[in-house]
Amino acid sequence: MLASALLVTATATACAEPAAETDRAASTGPPAPGPWRLVLDDGFDGSELDGRTWTTCYDWNDDGCTNSGNDELQWYLPEQVAVRDGELVLTAERRETRGSDDENYPWTSGMISTGRDHWDGDPRRTFTYGYFEAAIRIPAEEGMFPAFWMMPDSRYTPPELDIMEFLATTERVSMYVHWTEPDGEEARQSGTYGPVDFPAGYHVFGLLWEPDALVWYVDGVERLRVTDTERIPDVPMEVLLNLAVGVPDPPPASVDTARMRVDWVRVWQQPS
């Protein structure tokens, strides 16, 4: 999401067999053998976000935030994040908001992160290697950019791991790893899976991150694998879920709101 100079792209598109579309999706758990421990398990069963695990902005939070590197249209605010009926709801609204950067944003939206409350703070939770999984129902509206991803606790990318992104489509999920080449240039490898009517129900998006492999899963089925160790991060990373707006194109005039719903988020790790 944050990379700008993307020099290497290798796209792998899986067969578009139907995926499970249910009201709530069950966890598949780690796909590899080992003494896995569940180290993060949030089912959003209360009435408010767990502040011990999540904040509602990027590490550069200053009365809200955005990702200016992507020319996104939203300013993230905590009131766009809700926990109710056993799920997390991130709401994007066409409502002009003045950001603390003195820019006007035509949309407000919501996000959560295991990172910091502000630039000089400490991240809540970081992870190096593990299995990362979330059950998500993306919005059907055009012009939305929902994502489930990871960025380094250094606050600078690459590296970056995009477990799930939807760009200009609700039928094909994109998966990425971003890295820096030895000459300093940024690069990425990507895969897609679809077509599936993803807004029709919850789907489980997962990533197995090990020192020698990155493996992406959709509804428990492998969709992309990367084994070049020079492309695999080895630094602590934060987990993020967000509903950005306007990438790559703004919503049509007929769209004034959209919601991304998250049933649960889980992270497993093995003892070091």
Side-chain angles (χ1 to χ4, degrees), residues 52-104:
R52 298 167 299 178
T53 302
W54 306 105
T55 185
T56 55
C57 246
Y58 289 114
D59 296 334
W60 47 93
N61 179 22
D62 182 12
D63 295 324
C65 59
T66 192
N67 182 354
S68 58
N70 284 340
D71 296 322
E72 296 172 7
L73 300 180
Q74 82 292 328
W75 185 257
Y76 289 118
L77 290 173
E79 55 261 36
Q80 304 304 117
V81 178
V83 174
R84 57 176 180 261
D85 301 325
E87 63 182 8
L88 169 76
V89 182
L90 305 179
T91 301
E93 293 182 285
R94 189 187 293 273
R95 187 177 80 241
E96 185 168 308
T97 302
R98 183 78 168 178
S100 58
D101 57 1
D102 294 327
E103 298 288 337
N104 287 326

Side-chain angles (χ1 to χ4, degrees), residues 136-214:
I136 301 170
R137 185 169 186 172
I138 67 164
E141 290 78 9
E142 295 180 46
M144 300 298 137
F145 181 25
F148 171 36
W149 60 294
M150 303 180 69
M151 65 176 287
D153 71 350
S154 67
R155 295 160 292 196
Y156 297 100
T157 63
E160 178 182 331
L161 295 170
D162 299 319
I163 304 170
M164 171 277 276
E165 290 183 344
F166 284 86
L167 288 156
T169 178
T170 60
E171 294 187 342
R172 289 190 178 275
V173 59
S174 295
M175 304 153 280
Y176 294 89
V177 56
H178 301 257
W179 71 91
T180 303
E181 296 282 16
D183 61 3
E185 295 292 343
E186 297 179 12
R188 70 177 179 179
Q189 182 171 342
S190 67
T192 63
Y193 166 66
V196 171
D197 184 8
F198 283 101
Y202 275 93
H203 292 266
V204 178
F205 303 95
L207 172 66
L208 178 65
W209 172 23
E210 297 186 309
D212 58 355
L214 292 166

Side-chain angles (χ1 to χ4, degrees), residues 8-42:
V8 179
T9 303
T11 303
T13 304
C15 297
E17 68 268 24
E21 297 177 3
T22 59
D23 288 340
R24 299 296 172 95
S27 170
T28 61
W36 293 98
R37 294 183 298 113
L38 187 61
V39 296
L40 189 158
D41 183 7
D42 197 339

Side-chain angles (χ1 to χ4, degrees), residues 97-118:
T97 302
R98 183 78 168 178
S100 58
D101 57 1
D102 294 327
E103 298 288 337
N104 287 326
Y105 293 85
W107 285 76
T108 59
S109 193
M111 65 166 287
I112 63 171
S113 165
T114 64
R116 301 164 173 82
D117 281 326
H118 54 82

